[in-house]
Amino acid sequence: QVQLVESGGGLVQAGGSLRLSCAASGRTFNNYHMGWFRQPPGKEREFVAAIRGSGGTTNCADSVKGRFTISRDNAKNTVYLQMNTLKPEDTAVYSCAAAPSIATGWASARSGYGYNYWGQGTQVTVSS
């Protein structure tokens, strides 16, 4: 199992930037595809971005392409979400999640499927 703890959320003005971090427990971090998801107020959770277990291959939702970047540091057991040019509609609770690569292929994980482990989330609020 893996435990996930997010940090880095907060209040930012439109056009600003934030970097979210997600620290994972365990010694096999590179055996997990990692993803970021968000749940806007009153809406369902949606996929934001994913990165392959070995790193290097990523995918982002169309709504954030060109503005958000996912990355990971397997030596630090941490995945990041760099968010630039933030918009009020990016306001949401952001959660990271892990999908074991032995059970979930990249083809599924890159689209937000197969994630078994979730963090508690961190609030991001973008003011206009």
Side-chain angles (χ1 to χ4, degrees):
Q1 290 193 355
V2 61
Q3 293 182 327
L4 305 171
V5 179
E6 302 94 338
S7 61
L11 173 64
V12 64
Q13 287 188 335
S17 298
L18 280 176
R19 188 176 82 154
L20 305 183
S21 300
C22 173
S25 64
R27 295 176 292 177
T28 58
F29 182 62
N30 62 338
N31 288 344
Y32 293 86
H33 305 311
M34 297 299 296
W36 284 98
F37 296 77
R38 67 186 182 185
Q39 187 166 17
K43 296 184 179 181
E44 293 187 352
R45 184 171 61 198
E46 61 187 32
F47 167 76
V48 175
I51 186 166
R52 198 162 187 162
S54 57
T57 305
T58 65
N59 186 49
C60 290
D62 288 343
S63 59
V64 304
K65 276 181 180 176
R67 299 189 299 122
F68 291 12
T69 302
I70 187 172
S71 61
R72 67 191 294 162
D73 185 337
N74 285 346
K76 295 182 178 179
N77 282 14
T78 302
V79 62
Y80 305 97
L81 185 68
Q82 178 67 44
M83 306 185 294
N84 298 329
T85 319
L86 283 160
K87 304 175 181 179
E89 51 263 43
D90 294 319
T91 294
V93 175
Y94 284 72
S95 300
C96 68
S101 59
I102 194 171
T104 302
W106 174 241
S108 295
R110 70 184 303 275
S111 298
Y113 298 100
Y115 290 84
N116 304 107
Y117 305 99
W118 295 84
Q120 291 185 321
T122 185
Q123 177 70 46
V124 171
T125 302
V126 184
S127 63
S128 57

